[in-house]
Amino acid sequence: MEKDPYLWLEDITGDDALAWVRAHNEPTIAQLSGERFEAMRSEVLEILDTDARIPYPGRRGEYLYNFWRDEANPRGLWRRTTLESYRTDDPDWDVILDLDELARAEDENWVWAGPEVIEPEHTLAMISLSRGGADATVVREFDMRTREFVSGGFELAEAKSSVSWQDEDTLLVCTDFGEGSMTESGYPRIAKRWRRGEPLADAETVYEAEPADVRVIASIDRTPGFEHTRLGRYTDFYHRIRYEVRDGELIELKVPTDSSLSLHREWLLIALRTDWQVGGVTYPAGALLGANFDDFLSDTADLAMIYEPDEHSSLSSVQWTKEKLILITLRDVASHVEVVTPGTWERRDAPDIPPATDTIVVDIDHLGDEVFYNSSGFTTPSRLLHGTAGGPLVEIKSAPAFYDATGIDVEQFFATSKDGTKVPYFVVGRRDEPSPTYLYGYGGFQNSLTPGYIGGIGRGWLERGGTYVQANIRGGGEYGPGWHTQAMRENRHLVYEDFAAIAADLVDRGITTVEQLGASGGSNGGLLMGVMLTQYPELFGALVCSVPLLDMKRFHLLLAGASWVAEYGNPDDPADWEFMAKYSPYQNVSESAPYPPILITTSTRDDRVHPGHARKMTAALEAAGHRVLYYENIEGGHGGAADNKQSAFKAALTYEFLWQTLGDRT
């Protein structure tokens, strides 16, 4: 495909784009709509809208805040209550902002993108509002006391902005300041200090990244007595140069540029992605180190090894309360929670965490010691646990079962990939005979897939006799940074070999058949589906490819694509394109290969992965004579949906497509 006949599908806009989308959406909807589709859409929407869901809280001062969507409030309510009221079955919620009312008043399709609240006062917030779910947002100052947007206050036009409060009259702002102020990846490259009352154009520049960088870094921690200002730049997706600002001077933090940092009060944490040698000691990739921050800046710190991984375990997350560190690790993809005392770095198991569950920190009070955990499993509904770090926990909320899990088993297996690596995956279903199977994968950017509750899949797939499989392939972070780094760039083929090995293993074990095996993935997982289609079509009965990257020759030229060159390679470099060309789905469409049916979905408002990827692939497949269904939501952003109704519709499309292509076969 030396000349690209479908390049125009990247640039098509307005009525022409709408006509093209409708011409593809309408036959897809017509084919997939029906009684079963409507039943599944209604069932998923019921789960998404029900008041029986847990309203997950976030502590800000004396109140617990929550953002809530339901049938009556599809855009959502930002609301708050007290802990005492929250503990009851029917909390007394105080609505701070009604997004549906705001959208109607302003004739905008606002989607909530979150607040940046000033701490510790909790009086003002910079609220980000997205049109249709895009990453770019409008940011407006909101007074949490009067519950109104501040007239003449801070406001940023639509852009991929970030803000941080310096004080009630000053912001640190990264946004689109005009020509030359954005990186090649489409993110801000300049940080400015913006004082109340001055034009944004007159704001003081405090730091600039390079145009070829991914983005600038600028943040302020206002913890009383431990104030910090951090500046820096992402030189690529994984490498950062970072500075602490002291008395107006930039002090570079001399850590590996690919490490992650957490600064809390007087303590610095360093999570390593690669080995680091300091003073004759080599600290391994995946380790978590701790030090006194002032000592670190003066090169007198003793680095403490808080956590060291092994071949079965990895660091999942770290969160600070005022006095404790919550450490969550994965061991063969099962979570383990510990509480760490800084200074001595003594680790103890967190009490009262249910065994054999996936546990995450929902919220934590870094000005106190309160913590909220959510624990669940594939078949075990969520439980919200509350207490203090290291102290006893009490269940204060629980979700009902959203599907009947009677007779449904959860098992973990390991497939052997082409290079001999054992790759884990979970199977959820009834194991009496081969059944229609929905295999899900991602495999990129060190994102881990963990075994949390699957209410929608349970209702739309498992209850109807299907089997669900979750693949923990390389490219993710389930076994630490090495599980990811070994599958980057020229070794990307390992991701696809892992997924193909799991697909074959499912058939070999008698869990399913090739004709009954469907797979699904979105974003980087959409690329995974494109590779399965063009490289491994004989392994699948159907594929669902959502908000995907597919044209790896041009991905770096579209929207945020340049930021992912570190992950995939640079197609403008002939050496890189040599290995990328072997798997890039768009360039490898074949007219003669027998492809399984595929459903491709995207969003017009996706400003992260360009919808042109999905459109061009659809056009190329159609021209090659293959069966392809296509659906493009005109809202939704990279998530593909802007509200619960759209999410339920999109989920039902996937389930119905898979039932039609897999479920009627024997």
Side-chain angles (χ1 to χ4, degrees):
M1 194 181 290
E2 294 182 2
K3 292 186 178 180
D4 188 348
Y6 308 115
L7 193 61
W8 61 277
L9 285 168
E10 293 177 7
D11 299 323
I12 186 173
T13 58
D15 291 341
D16 290 338
L18 188 59
W20 191 90
V21 169
R22 282 177 174 168
H24 286 79
N25 281 4
E26 289 173 2
T28 294
I29 294 171
Q31 179 173 328
L32 297 182
S33 61
E35 291 185 7
R36 181 170 55 191
F37 170 84
E38 287 300 327
M40 289 188 291
R41 185 192 62 78
S42 297
E43 289 165 0
V44 174
L45 184 59
E46 179 185 348
I47 292 171
L48 295 175
D49 275 346
T50 179
D51 288 343
R53 288 172 293 144
I54 296 175
Y56 290 107
R59 166 73 67 183
R60 291 187 175 94
E62 61 183 307
Y63 295 106
L64 298 181
Y65 285 75
N66 166 261
F67 188 76
W68 182 260
R69 291 188 180 99
D70 57 22
E71 184 177 6
N73 306 279
R75 296 292 172 178
L77 304 172
W78 191 34
R79 58 188 191 171
R80 72 186 185 189
T81 190
T82 63
L83 176 61
E84 180 182 9
S85 179
Y86 184 81
R87 287 177 175 273
T88 67
D89 292 337
D90 187 20
D92 182 16
W93 290 105
D94 181 14
V95 175
I96 305 301
L97 178 64
D98 184 329
L99 209 62
D100 292 274
E101 183 178 299
L102 180 70
R104 284 190 293 269
E106 298 183 350
D107 193 25
E108 292 275 11
N109 59 338
W110 290 132
V111 175
W112 180 256
E116 176 67 21
V117 177
I118 190 169
E119 291 189 339
E121 297 87 353
H122 305 105
T123 52
L124 297 171
M126 294 299 295
I127 290 180
S128 295
L129 301 170
S130 164
R131 291 186 173 96
D135 286 353
T137 60
V138 172
V139 188
R140 296 159 60 178
E141 185 179 7
F142 185 82
D143 192 317
M144 297 167 68
R145 298 157 297 190
T146 64
R147 301 150 192 245
E148 295 179 344
F149 287 100
V150 177
S151 177
F154 293 116
E155 183 168 348
L156 296 174
E158 186 176 57
K160 294 181 179 180
S161 305
S162 66
V163 299
S164 190
W165 290 98
Q166 179 174 314
D167 56 47
E168 291 193 348
D169 293 311
T170 314
L171 291 175
L172 206 55
V173 177
C174 307
T175 192
D176 186 349
F177 295 106
E179 185 178 356
S181 69
M182 305 295 278
T183 68
E184 294 171 7
S185 297
Y187 294 98
R189 73 170 193 87
I190 299 173
K192 294 191 177 187
R193 183 175 290 109
W194 188 19
R195 295 175 174 86
R196 188 177 299 280
E198 73 176 348
L200 180 61
D202 295 340
E204 172 195 2
T205 297
V206 295
Y207 188 78
E208 294 190 39
E210 299 298 323
D213 291 339
V214 172
R215 64 179 175 87
V216 71
I217 300 168
S219 64
I220 296 175
D221 181 348
R222 302 187 74 247
T223 302
F226 299 94
E227 293 85 356
H228 297 282
T229 298
R230 182 86 53 80
L231 298 172
R233 58 195 180 97
Y234 273 81
T235 57
D236 65 27
F237 197 88
Y238 300 107
H239 291 82
R240 289 152 282 186
I241 298 173
R242 290 156 286 198
Y243 302 91
E244 173 78 2
V245 181
R246 291 279 176 99
D247 299 322
E249 298 294 324
L250 297 182
I251 303 173
E252 184 174 354
L253 302 183
K254 297 176 181 178
V255 297
T257 57
D258 62 352
S259 63
S260 297
L261 303 183
S262 173
L263 181 57
H264 173 73
R265 301 175 75 84
E266 70 267 42
W267 303 111
L268 174 68
L269 300 182
I270 307 167
L272 299 178
R273 276 178 52 84
T274 50
D275 293 353
W276 185 31
Q277 188 171 43
V278 183
V281 178
T282 299
Y283 299 98
L288 179 67
L289 310 179
N292 178 278
F293 186 53
D294 286 338
D295 290 347
F296 185 84
L297 290 181
S298 63
D299 292 323
T300 61
D302 292 323
L303 292 174
M305 177 81 79
I306 301 172
Y307 171 79
E308 184 173 5
D310 59 36
E311 62 179 358
H312 290 282
S313 68
S314 67
L315 180 66
S316 179
S317 70
V318 292
Q319 300 275 356
W320 283 103
T321 67
K322 181 179 180 181
E323 303 292 348
K324 299 290 184 181
L325 173 68
I326 307 298
L327 177 69
I328 300 182
T329 57
L330 297 178
R331 187 167 185 84
D332 286 331
V333 204
S335 58
H336 181 67
V337 185
E338 295 175 280
V339 178
V340 183
T341 301
T344 65
W345 306 111
E346 178 186 13
R347 291 161 50 185
R348 294 185 177 181
D349 288 351
D352 304 320
I353 299 292
T357 57
D358 178 51
T359 301
I360 62 171
V361 173
V362 171
D363 188 61
I364 206 160
D365 184 5
H366 69 95
L367 299 176
D369 274 326
E370 181 182 51
V371 61
F372 292 87
Y373 297 101
N374 187 76
S375 284
S376 70
F378 285 123
T379 61
T380 307
S382 293
R383 299 171 59 190
L384 185 65
L385 309 174
H386 173 260
T388 57
L393 300 175
V394 177
E395 180 183 314
I396 60 172
K397 297 286 181 186
S398 62
F402 290 122
Y403 70 97
D404 183 3
T406 303
I408 292 177
D409 296 320
V410 178
E411 297 177 90
Q412 186 182 46
F413 296 102
F414 290 79
T416 302
S417 196
K418 185 177 180 179
D419 67 350
T421 300
K422 300 295 184 182
V423 183
Y425 64 94
F426 290 97
V427 175
V428 187
R430 298 177 177 87
R431 291 290 308 282
D432 47 355
E433 61 181 1
S435 62
T437 296
Y438 174 2
L439 168 60
Y440 179 78
Y442 185 78
F445 298 93
Q446 204 175 327
N447 290 335
S448 301
L449 300 182
T450 55
Y453 192 62
I454 48 173
I457 293 172
R459 186 73 70 88
W461 192 254
L462 296 176
E463 276 193 352
R464 288 178 164 83
T467 297
Y468 175 70
V469 179
Q470 187 165 286
N472 299 114
I473 55 180
R474 280 175 286 187
E478 289 87 344
Y479 288 96
W483 197 243
H484 169 241
T485 56
Q486 64 181 287
M488 294 172 66
R489 293 176 45 82
E490 66 270 16
N491 294 320
R492 199 74 193 173
H493 61 92
L494 297 176
V495 175
Y496 312 128
E497 290 170 4
D498 286 0
F499 199 76
I502 291 173
D505 201 53
L506 288 166
V507 175
D508 290 344
R509 292 181 186 274
I511 293 169
T512 190
T513 64
V514 170
E515 293 78 14
Q516 292 177 303
L517 178 57
S520 173
S523 191
N524 173 76
L527 170 59
L528 173 65
M529 293 303 104
V531 175
M532 291 302 106
L533 181 76
T534 54
Q535 304 293 322
Y536 300 93
E538 73 281 0
L539 296 180
F540 300 95
L543 296 167
V544 179
C545 178
S546 302
V547 290
L549 287 87
L550 294 166
D551 179 1
M552 301 308 289
K553 184 66 175 175
R554 288 181 52 79
F555 83 94
H556 64 312
L557 304 177
L558 303 173
L559 300 175
S563 65
W564 311 319
V565 166
E567 178 83 3
Y568 302 116
N570 182 358
D572 289 340
D573 182 333
D576 284 7
W577 179 241
E578 184 177 357
F579 61 76
M580 299 173 73
K582 294 177 182 178
Y583 72 80
S584 181
Y586 182 60
Q587 278 75 28
N588 282 283
V589 171
S590 167
E591 293 184 358
S592 59
Y595 290 167
I598 185 169
L599 168 65
I600 298 177
T601 70
T602 189
S603 163
T604 308
R605 287 293 291 165
D606 189 346
D607 56 352
R608 192 181 313 174
V609 176
H610 198 291
H613 284 276
R615 296 168 183 169
K616 290 164 62 178
M617 188 70 174
T618 297
L621 288 170
E622 288 176 337
H626 296 293
R627 178 186 174 191
V628 54
L629 296 182
Y630 181 88
Y631 177 74
E632 180 173 326
N633 186 11
I634 61 172
E635 292 189 327
H638 192 52
D643 57 33
N644 289 347
K645 285 185 178 180
Q646 293 177 16
S647 294
F649 184 89
K650 190 165 71 78
L653 281 180
T654 294
Y655 302 147
E656 178 60 23
F657 171 73
L658 292 177
W659 280 122
Q660 284 191 17
T661 52
L662 308 175
D664 296 333
R665 299 180 181 182
T666 57

